[in-house]
Amino acid sequence: MYKNRAYISFLTLLLTVFFVGCASFGERNLKIRSDFDNGQLEHAKKQIETQLQKSRAKDADVLKLNQALIELCTGKPKNAERILREVRDNFDRIEREQLTKKAEKTVSMLTDDNTVSYAGEDYEKVLIRVFLSLANLMHDGTDAAAYALQVNQKQNEIIENGKLKNPKDGKEVNSKLSYKQVSAGAYLYGLLREETRLNNDDAVRAYLSVCQWNPQFQQGKNDLQRAMHGIHSAPGNGVVYVFCLAGSGPYKVQENSEVTQAALFLTSFLLSILGNHSVTPGIAPVLIPVVAHSPYPVPVIQVEINGRDAGITETLTDIRRMAEEQFEAIKAEVIARAVVRRAVKKGILYGAKEAMNADPWISLALDVAGIIWEANEKADTRCWNLLPAEIQVLRIELPAGVHRLRLSLLNNRRSYKDSSTIFRQQEVRVDAGRNTYVLACCPNSGFAGEVVVSER
């Protein structure tokens, strides 16, 4: 008996040491997000490089996504594209492996989801393609249309892979059918096809999709009408597209699923009364990752050309809403996985008591070990946490030549109090019949990085 007690005491100590949780991904990288939101991109970049040297391989891809966004916003779109391609391919590989190999997910039942290789949230997988298209536009544009097409292809693939069979009746269920189509890919493809003038029907179909998926986007309606008449721009004119990565986007935080925790507590209590042994008390919080976002309003950009007002950027893709709606669609699955994990741990310890015919002292030690084991679970808060809240755009037709742009930041379409200092000026060259692209990043109350102009 004493030997068994010593063994269990050692097991309890081992579990305490081995399963002591470290800070979540979100907590470890809070300073990176804070620096980025405040325009300190170089500081954020150095911290990412440090994290990449210290972090586990399973966290590297999501850190590289943040790195790519900083490269894009600091005038290095080619670097951004290279990094995004690498992560896209890694996510695709991990996704395929997770569909066929279950070993990693089985191990995660003994710890938490942070032990699983991160394949990206569904909205992140789609947005990688959007940002690949934007990054390519900003340096040569040769692959931008192909990336834009991948956006809708990936959306359809995600929905197709979301099919699950109900174990009760065998019917298929798919929580991802409620995902809304993202219009950014179709819009980018449309403006590129319109510029070529080779097959205007492609542009019309793309803009039709934009209008269906994002009916509040007025620019899309204007684009559709123009494309239907086959007019890219008047003779001697070209077009400038001003893209804005506006506001501070979604990220993940840990949240206790209180109803689930209460249910597990009552279940443990009843099973302890009815069974031969006690069940680990369900007092540890059941942590799940939930989507959160900054409380600050999303800014827009007012554009002036040569001192004259040219308009205000309009929301093309609301990334905050996209992330929140997709999380709500799969929230039940996230909670179910947390419940199964907790049940597996309780079952393992209950089985150990049965196997050893545990006396009350051994049973108590195992319960303590179980509480420690469960309490050290961390929600998987890995995410692309430097995403903007929105991707905005403004289309401006201008005579060929060099023009001076002034980009002024507005808060809810009203000037900031100190609006005289919250602006950027940039010269752009417009070629007749061609598109020129301008990209600005405005995470909170100011500009971050450079105003980037396409190189071609």
Side-chain angles (χ1 to χ4, degrees), residues 9-52:
S9 298
F10 174 74
L11 176 62
T12 303
L13 178 62
L14 183 65
L15 283 170
T16 304
V17 173
F18 186 75
F19 289 107
V20 165
C22 58
S24 68
F25 178 89
E27 292 165 342
R28 292 196 305 273
N29 293 279
L30 184 62
K31 185 66 166 59
I32 294 173
R33 180 179 170 86
S34 175
D35 283 344
F36 183 85
D37 285 351
N38 291 313
Q40 302 295 318
L41 270 59
E42 286 302 318
H43 290 174
K45 183 177 179 179
K46 288 177 182 176
Q47 290 179 72
I48 291 172
E49 291 169 352
T50 301
Q51 284 289 340
L52 281 169

Side-chain angles (χ1 to χ4, degrees), residues 49-280:
E49 291 169 352
T50 301
Q51 284 289 340
L52 281 169
Q53 292 173 357
K54 297 196 299 188
S55 294
R56 306 170 307 160
K58 289 181 172 67
D59 296 347
D61 284 334
V62 73
L63 287 166
K64 288 177 182 177
L65 287 176
N66 287 339
Q67 187 181 47
L69 200 59
I70 291 175
E71 293 291 288
L72 179 60
C73 295
T74 52
K76 303 179 185 69
K78 196 170 184 178
N79 289 351
E81 182 184 357
R82 174 183 53 78
I83 297 168
L84 289 168
R85 282 174 64 98
E86 178 189 341
V87 177
R88 178 201 62 183
D89 294 345
N90 284 344
F91 276 4
D92 286 350
R93 175 183 55 79
I94 293 167
E95 187 177 28
R96 287 192 299 270
E97 290 175 353
Q98 289 179 349
L99 288 171
T100 57
K101 299 177 183 177
K102 307 298 182 185
E104 217 178 32
K105 288 191 175 182
T106 301
V107 172
S108 74
M109 290 296 162
L110 303 178
T111 51
D112 54 41
D113 279 345
N114 289 283
T115 60
V116 177
S117 297
Y118 188 70
E121 294 294 341
D122 290 338
Y123 68 90
E124 293 170 342
K125 296 172 189 175
V126 172
L127 289 170
I128 284 176
R129 275 83 178 166
V130 173
F131 280 93
L132 272 168
S133 188
L134 282 172
N136 188 261
L137 276 181
M138 302 312 295
H139 73 88
D140 65 17
T142 54
D143 296 320
Y147 291 137
L149 284 174
Q150 289 177 19
V151 174
N152 294 337
Q153 291 169 359
K154 190 61 184 179
Q155 290 181 101
N156 294 333
E157 178 188 315
I158 287 168
I159 293 171
E160 180 65 24
N161 290 339
K163 293 178 181 177
L164 297 171
K165 279 194 175 181
N166 190 322
K168 291 184 178 179
D169 54 20
K171 292 182 179 179
E172 280 189 348
V173 293
N174 192 342
S175 59
K176 297 180 181 181
L177 284 173
S178 62
Y179 284 6
K180 293 179 181 176
Q181 294 284 344
V182 179
S183 59
Y187 187 76
L188 292 169
Y189 185 72
L191 65 85
L192 286 163
R193 296 304 294 165
E194 185 185 3
E195 183 188 28
T196 66
R197 297 178 175 82
L198 295 176
N199 189 345
N200 221 55
D201 290 344
D202 289 345
V204 171
R205 283 191 291 269
Y207 290 143
L208 271 171
S209 296
V210 172
C211 293
Q212 291 169 0
W213 299 336
N214 190 359
Q216 290 78 37
F217 184 52
Q218 184 59 47
Q219 181 62 59
K221 299 172 184 176
N222 299 338
D223 294 329
L224 176 60
Q225 290 301 314
R226 185 186 61 254
M228 290 173 66
H229 294 93
I231 303 170
H232 170 267
S233 53
N237 285 0
V239 175
V240 173
Y241 286 91
V242 178
F243 289 97
C244 178
L245 308 181
S248 186
Y251 57 98
K252 293 183 200 171
V253 296
Q254 296 188 120
E255 182 179 278
N256 182 23
S257 183
E258 293 181 2
V259 175
T260 303
Q261 185 189 8
L264 282 170
F265 179 82
L266 290 173
T267 302
S268 301
F269 178 72
L270 291 172
L271 289 174
S272 296
I273 294 175
L274 299 174
N276 296 325
H277 303 282
S278 63
V279 176
T280 306

Side-chain angles (χ1 to χ4, degrees), residues 403-421:
H403 300 271
R404 189 161 193 82
L405 273 65
R406 177 185 166 107
L407 310 179
S408 301
L409 209 60
L410 307 182
N411 180 3
N412 283 341
R413 301 186 182 271
R414 295 181 180 178
S415 297
Y416 282 99
K417 291 180 180 178
D418 194 17
S419 61
S420 61
T421 62

